[in-house]
Amino acid sequence: MLTILFDGIAYGMVLFVLGCGLSVTMGLMNFVNLAHGAFAMLGGYVAVAAMQRLGLPFLASLPVAFLAAALVGIVLERLIYRPMYAKSHLDQVMFSIGLVFMAVAGTDWLMGSTQQFIRLPAWLQGRFEVAGIGIGRYRLFVIAVCGVLAVSLQWGFTRTRFGSRLRAAVDDARVARGLGIPVSRLFALTFALGSGLAGLGGALGIELMGLDPTFPLKFMIYFLIVVTVGGTSSITGPFFAAMLLGVADVVGKYLVPQVGAFIIYALMVALLITRPHGLFARART
Amino acid sequence: MTHRRTVLSGILGLTLAASAGGAALAQEPVKIGLILPMTGPFASTGRQIDAAVKLFLAKEGAVHGGRKLEVILKDDAGNADATRRIAQELVVNDKVAVLAGFGLTPLAMATAPIATQAKVPQIVMAAATATITEASPFIARTSFTLPQASEPMADWAAANGIKKVFTVVTDYGPGIDAETSFAAKFKAAGGTVESVRVPLRNPDFAPFLQRVSEAKPDALFVFVPSGVGAQFMKQFVERGLDKAGVKLIGPGDVVDDDILDGIGDVALGAITTHHYSAAHDSPANKAFVEAFQKANPGMRPNFMAVGGYDGMRLVAEALKETKGDADGEKLIAAMKGAAWESPRGPIKIDPDTRDIIQNIYVRKTEKVGSEFRNIEFATIPNVKDPVKARK
């Protein structure tokens, strides 16, 4: 049972890294970016290419995936996302879902439609047992990486100058600009960070979730659940939401496989009825 | 996203038709509407079959029974609504004599009423749920059925000291087919079976494999669609089930030749029963694999490709039999009982059910040089689809 809890936490961690980038762009910048999964896929494919074509080791391919997705994020933010900030949410949804379809078709054409594979280094393969709990090495690695990320993100947004400027810029861009805060540069950086996190999540997730051109569509629902349940105004919200959903999904499928697929949705509905703005929402004005 | 390509250039076809005789020259080509998922999650099926169909025309020529075959390829992206609409257009606008392809069960099922109404033969080259051929008297199948591939596994397992099996299948038509046919046969042979079904959209197999690990069965019988099969195999090994002595068995989809090299070491030792392996040892298969790989560098033909190749041959054989008459009823009548040597071995279209009768092979995944292969080591000859055979 504890083994399954451990599996669920690892799975939740990957969901967190995939989803928190979205809550960064969506929550902090108030921009509905459904194309988030496309950045995750990009990160995954960059990691695969870095390992297969350039022969980089797995660990080195992770920052490459982050940087590549962040870089593409910056470029796209400058070129096509910026004009969309002022538009309605519906326009943003239509626009970004369009990007998803383009990304799916483009990846299909460029990389082929088959599953992509990576080979983990030997020290990340297999599992060991501690007090009867089977611990997969790779899952432990994922938990460690994502845990560090969660803590540093939370710290970054609440305790640093960057974080407070960003929150000011989101709450009232006009006043923030008046105070000399470089709002558009701040947004570009934030967008890059969100995309980069998605890319990193995509790379980490290859081994657990697989990677093919339909990735953004297949997992869009999971990112969205994490962000909806977690609320978009903090990092802790999506973090606990991702944990809760990861564990509930895995444990549910383990205990009652007959209804396993629905547990995550039932939980989402229940949570949204009781806390419509998310787990730790502050009231938006 | 729908695109069309006419496969053979008209000039080549015309010269061939002219050499086949004056009567043929006057006739229109026989159009085959090939509907495949060329994009989307099942695109590898489409690409394999498309490549095999092109290979057939290149290798065996386009003229059969005095008529030139012309293939119209359409992409349905694996969406049943699209398949149905495209099939309708092909029948009404393009006046195709044969509908072919069908990557997934719902796609074949959605098209069946059109085949019946239009009296156009529908050649199922991939979809493998047993009941498909009952959906229309105009359907003939050149792929396989899951019970046909799964039941021999039950016999093999029972005969090889396996007593307790845990089955994990994807919760949709083919998965349920595989599970129920295997479980029924294996229980009848005295074994015990526990089962779970995995949702079609399932990112992580950990909870299901954990159940397997606690049940400590002798073998894990698995059917998941071929793409996610790789994920499944990796997690099977990650969980240490292979070291715990659990054998991985099932129909051959998880060790699909198309992605076997990508799956790598974790596939070693899997025992599967299937109708085709690219490593099948026969001159016909050697020639087929060689020509396929020459025409499609970096690709290896899989069980989908052989279904497409034989689907084209079935049309060709039927046209020879009707002497070029492409009337739907005459064609389907000619297809019943057609038999020939396929790259997978001898096959025959059952005259009663229009389903395929073929050998099923027991294979073990092994490393040959630097490549991974499914090496056949036992043959169960002339297997009919057991679901229909019992009726």
Side-chain angles (χ1 to χ4, degrees):
Chain A
M1 189 64 211
L2 283 173
T3 306
I4 212 72
L5 200 64
F6 173 80
D7 289 336
I9 290 173
Y11 173 48
M13 284 288 188
V14 175
L15 284 185
F16 166 69
V17 178
L18 283 168
C20 78
L22 182 59
S23 76
V24 168
T25 47
M26 199 149 121
L28 294 171
M29 298 167 65
N30 199 15
F31 181 81
V32 185
N33 182 21
L34 292 186
H36 189 70
F39 289 99
M41 176 170 72
L42 175 74
Y45 273 97
V46 167
V48 168
M51 290 179 70
Q52 287 177 351
R53 309 253 162 96
L54 304 178
L56 285 181
F58 176 66
L59 280 189
S61 75
L62 292 179
V64 174
F66 177 90
L67 287 176
L71 200 69
V72 173
I74 285 198
V75 173
L76 289 185
E77 201 267 348
R78 289 269 144 168
L79 292 179
I80 56 176
Y81 273 92
R82 187 158 300 172
M84 299 303 297
Y85 286 153
K87 297 271 167 66
S88 73
H89 280 170
L90 181 65
D91 287 345
Q92 295 173 353
V93 166
M94 301 306 267
F95 163 77
S96 53
I97 198 95
L99 281 185
V100 171
F101 286 119
M102 284 163 64
V104 169
T107 315
D108 200 304
W109 180 72
L110 265 177
M111 303 291 295
S113 58
T114 45
Q115 285 262 332
Q116 299 290 328
F117 304 101
I118 52 166
R119 214 148 280 179
L120 290 175
W123 58 274
L124 279 177
Q125 288 174 10
R127 56 172 27 212
F128 55 89
E129 287 214 354
V130 178
I133 312 170
I135 293 179
R137 291 209 172 91
Y138 185 70
R139 286 179 192 250
L140 188 65
F141 171 77
V142 166
I143 292 178
V145 171
C146 301
V148 170
L149 261 178
V151 172
S152 37
L153 280 176
Q154 172 67 10
W155 179 79
F157 284 120
T158 53
R159 297 270 186 274
T160 63
R161 196 172 145 81
F162 171 76
S164 48
R165 283 175 149 202
L166 179 65
R167 280 177 288 129
V170 171
D171 280 348
D172 198 328
R174 217 153 56 105
V175 173
R177 238 179 240 119
L179 289 170
I181 295 175
V183 172
S184 74
R185 200 180 336 141
L186 215 54
F187 275 9
L189 270 179
T190 314
F191 194 84
L193 178 69
S195 314
L197 285 173
L200 179 65
L204 280 174
I206 302 174
E207 192 66 9
L208 293 178
M209 306 172 159
L211 182 68
D212 65 66
T214 55
F215 183 91
L217 290 172
K218 227 172 7 182
F219 293 108
M220 181 191 288
I221 188 82
Y222 289 90
F223 314 143
L224 289 176
I225 292 178
V226 166
V227 176
T228 0
V229 171
T232 50
S233 54
S234 66
I235 293 298
T236 38
F239 178 77
F240 284 108
M243 282 303 109
L244 192 65
L245 293 168
V247 171
D249 196 31
V250 170
V251 173
K253 280 175 182 164
Y254 170 72
L255 290 178
V256 269
Q258 299 81 4
V259 292
F262 297 104
I263 286 172
I264 191 165
Y265 303 109
L267 189 67
M268 178 183 74
V269 170
L271 281 171
L272 287 180
I273 288 172
T274 47
R275 298 199 61 94
H277 295 289
L279 277 178
F280 302 96
R282 62 178 171 153
R284 269 205 180 278
T285 44
Chain B
M1 251 187 260
T2 307
H3 52 252
R4 64 183 282 187
R5 270 183 274 167
T6 34
V7 169
L8 262 198
S9 75
I11 304 158
L12 175 69
L14 271 181
T15 40
L16 283 171
S19 63
L25 194 61
Q27 282 180 322
E28 293 270 296
V30 174
K31 288 184 188 164
I32 301 174
L34 183 63
I35 313 177
L36 293 170
M38 297 300 291
T39 51
F42 304 97
S44 97
T45 299
R47 283 176 8 141
Q48 284 273 351
I49 294 178
D50 177 37
V53 166
K54 288 192 176 112
L55 182 66
F56 180 86
L57 293 175
K59 231 175 135 224
E60 311 283 330
V63 180
H64 298 272
R67 300 284 300 268
K68 189 190 145 214
L69 300 181
E70 186 185 301
V71 174
I72 305 173
L73 174 67
K74 299 265 184 177
D75 176 18
D76 62 9
N79 176 343
D81 292 341
T83 321
R84 198 188 154 94
R85 176 176 50 76
I86 292 166
Q88 211 147 20
E89 284 169 9
L90 284 169
V91 168
V92 176
N93 299 343
D94 296 294
K95 309 265 184 301
V96 296
V98 175
L99 289 165
F102 310 102
L104 302 160
T105 299
L107 314 184
M109 289 297 203
T111 311
I114 294 173
T116 312
Q117 275 172 25
K119 297 191 167 55
V120 168
Q122 179 185 352
I123 313 297
V124 176
M125 295 170 163
T129 306
T131 51
I132 288 176
T133 48
E134 289 163 1
S136 163
F138 284 88
I139 293 181
R141 172 151 49 192
T142 55
S143 50
F144 73 114
T145 81
L146 275 154
Q148 188 179 41
S150 306
E151 282 202 4
M153 190 79 247
D155 294 334
W156 186 87
N160 284 273
I162 294 172
K163 298 200 168 57
K164 193 175 163 193
V165 173
F166 205 108
T167 71
V168 177
V169 302
T170 298
D171 195 1
Y172 74 136
I176 295 166
D177 256 11
E179 178 202 287
T180 47
S181 58
F182 173 84
K185 195 92 195 267
F186 191 64
K187 279 179 191 157
T192 54
V193 180
E194 264 187 90
S195 302
V196 283
R197 291 177 184 172
V198 180
L200 192 51
R201 281 181 177 217
N202 182 67
D204 189 0
F205 292 105
F208 306 103
L209 288 170
Q210 183 61 25
R211 277 183 85 95
V212 174
S213 136
E214 281 162 23
K216 296 195 174 53
D218 300 324
L220 165 62
F221 174 93
V222 59
F223 171 85
V224 288
S226 79
V228 292
Q231 233 51 46
F232 187 90
M233 299 283 256
K234 283 189 168 188
Q235 297 195 8
F236 175 80
V237 173
E238 186 210 330
R239 204 147 285 268
L241 287 170
D242 56 333
K243 291 193 191 69
V246 181
K247 271 205 177 67
L248 191 80
I249 60 172
D253 304 73
V254 281
V255 286
D256 184 347
D257 269 303
D258 200 19
I259 55 168
L260 190 55
D261 279 330
I263 301 176
D265 288 333
V266 293
L268 287 176
I271 307 276
T272 47
T273 39
H274 225 205
H275 58 288
Y276 181 68
S277 158
H280 178 66
D281 193 14
S282 77
N285 186 49
K286 283 213 176 79
F288 171 68
V289 173
E290 207 167 288
F292 188 97
Q293 291 192 312
K294 203 172 155 199
N296 308 279
M299 250 168 107
R300 189 196 283 175
N302 70 355
F303 61 102
M304 295 297 181
V306 83
Y309 197 79
D310 285 329
M312 288 300 285
R313 166 144 293 162
L314 180 59
V315 177
E317 296 287 323
L319 275 174
K320 262 180 228 160
E321 178 98 12
T322 63
K323 304 202 168 47
D325 190 343
D327 173 70
E329 273 170 348
K330 284 180 190 151
L331 271 185
I332 194 81
M335 286 174 189
K336 292 176 186 171
W340 66 91
E341 174 79 15
S342 152
R344 63 185 119 178
I347 63 174
K348 183 181 176 184
I349 302 298
D350 187 343
D352 304 323
T353 63
R354 290 158 280 106
D355 222 326
I356 187 164
I357 302 174
Q358 59 190 334
N359 294 350
I360 296 293
Y361 306 92
V362 191
R363 312 101 46 92
K364 185 172 187 183
T365 307
E366 290 172 15
K367 201 166 184 179
V368 181
S370 62
E371 291 188 332
F372 292 83
R373 295 276 177 170
N374 296 310
I375 304 297
E376 297 166 348
F377 62 86
T379 306
I380 299 128
N382 304 325
V383 181
K384 281 190 181 194
D385 171 49
V387 173
K388 285 184 281 287
R390 274 193 290 271
K391 274 179 188 165

